[in-house]
């Protein structure tokens, strides 16, 4: 998406004082191996908020990345989605190089830094490596530089460097 195509949706903004907030809280991700996935995320330093293991075979873990308000949940008998099928879960980071180096030091295979080959801000959301140009965004714009990695189950995560938030974002 180019800057000309980037827009903010002011039509959905309401001045109604009774507007109901909708906050993204938890994303359920599909995994094949509960223990392997748990070890992967715990080793990244994600906080364990709940870890449930019932005699019925139901297992569920709730984890939160450092500094995040949203969390992930996975387990057995939690979702029918195919393990490793999630593609493009996004983690916003203040410094892409530091975050990438930290993940690599923890044994995670992380892509090289890339940006949108067309110069837009949507470079992290292409299938595979299509549309990527390697290196940081030439103008070092916020929202325009990325790296990606897969968890132990094959789900793809995108790191997006955000140094200055768009208006209305916190």
């Amino acid at each position: 998406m180019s800057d000309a195509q980037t827009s903010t949706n002011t039509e959905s903004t309401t001045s109604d004082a009774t507007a109901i907030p909708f906050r993204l809280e938890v994303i359920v991700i599909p995994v094949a191996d509960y223990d392997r996935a748990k070890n992967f995320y715990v080793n990244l330093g994600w906080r364990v908020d709940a870890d449930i293991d019932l005699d019925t075979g139901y297992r569920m873990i709730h984890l939160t990345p450092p500094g995040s308000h949203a969390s992930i949940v996975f387990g057995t008998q939690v979702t029918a989605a195919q393990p490793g099928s999630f593609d493009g879960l996004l983690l916003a980071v203040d410094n892409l190089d530091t975050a990438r180096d930290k993940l690599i030091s923890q044994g995670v295979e992380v892509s090289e830094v890339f940006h949108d080959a067309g110069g837009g801000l949507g470079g992290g959301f292409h299938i595979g490596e299509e549309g990527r140009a390697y290196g940081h965004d030439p103008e070092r714009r916020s929202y325009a530089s990325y790296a990606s990695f897969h968890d132990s189950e094959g789900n793809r995560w995108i790191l997006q460097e955000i140094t200055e938030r768009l208006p209305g974002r916190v």
Side-chain angles (χ1 to χ4, degrees):
M1 182 178 343
S2 72
D3 288 338
Q5 295 168 318
T6 304
S7 67
T8 55
N9 187 355
T10 55
E11 293 175 18
S12 65
T13 304
T14 179
S15 60
D16 184 358
T18 61
I20 298 172
F22 288 85
R23 293 176 294 274
L24 182 61
E25 185 72 19
V26 176
I27 296 174
V28 179
I29 63 171
V31 303
D33 186 314
Y34 179 91
D35 293 314
R36 180 176 61 207
K38 177 181 176 179
N39 287 334
F40 179 85
Y41 288 104
V42 168
N43 287 336
L44 294 184
W46 292 28
R47 184 183 69 233
V48 175
D49 300 312
D51 192 353
I52 301 168
D53 189 353
L54 303 178
D55 292 335
T56 62
Y58 177 87
R59 293 178 79 186
M60 189 275 306
I61 191 162
H62 182 271
L63 298 126
T64 302
S68 181
H69 293 285
S71 304
I72 62 168
V73 163
F74 60 82
T76 55
Q77 301 175 9
V78 172
T79 180
Q82 290 298 309
S85 63
F86 279 31
D87 185 14
L89 299 161
L90 192 134
L91 294 169
V93 296
D94 296 335
N95 184 302
L96 186 56
D97 295 318
T98 301
R100 187 175 173 277
D101 290 346
K102 174 73 171 164
L103 288 169
I104 290 170
S105 76
Q106 294 168 307
V108 178
E109 195 172 309
V110 184
S111 77
E112 295 296 323
V113 173
F114 61 92
H115 63 278
D116 188 285
L121 298 179
F125 300 100
H126 291 289
I127 296 172
E129 295 187 18
E130 179 182 323
R132 287 184 184 181
Y134 283 90
H136 287 274
D137 174 65
E139 299 171 39
R140 291 305 297 253
R141 295 173 296 164
S142 191
Y143 294 93
S145 297
Y146 308 88
S148 64
F149 68 94
H150 289 84
D151 70 7
S152 61
E153 307 307 295
N155 297 300
R156 184 173 69 112
W157 289 87
I158 297 170
L159 302 175
Q160 181 181 42
E161 185 174 74
I162 301 176
T163 55
E164 183 179 329
R165 289 277 184 187
L166 291 172
R169 304 281 302 188
V170 288

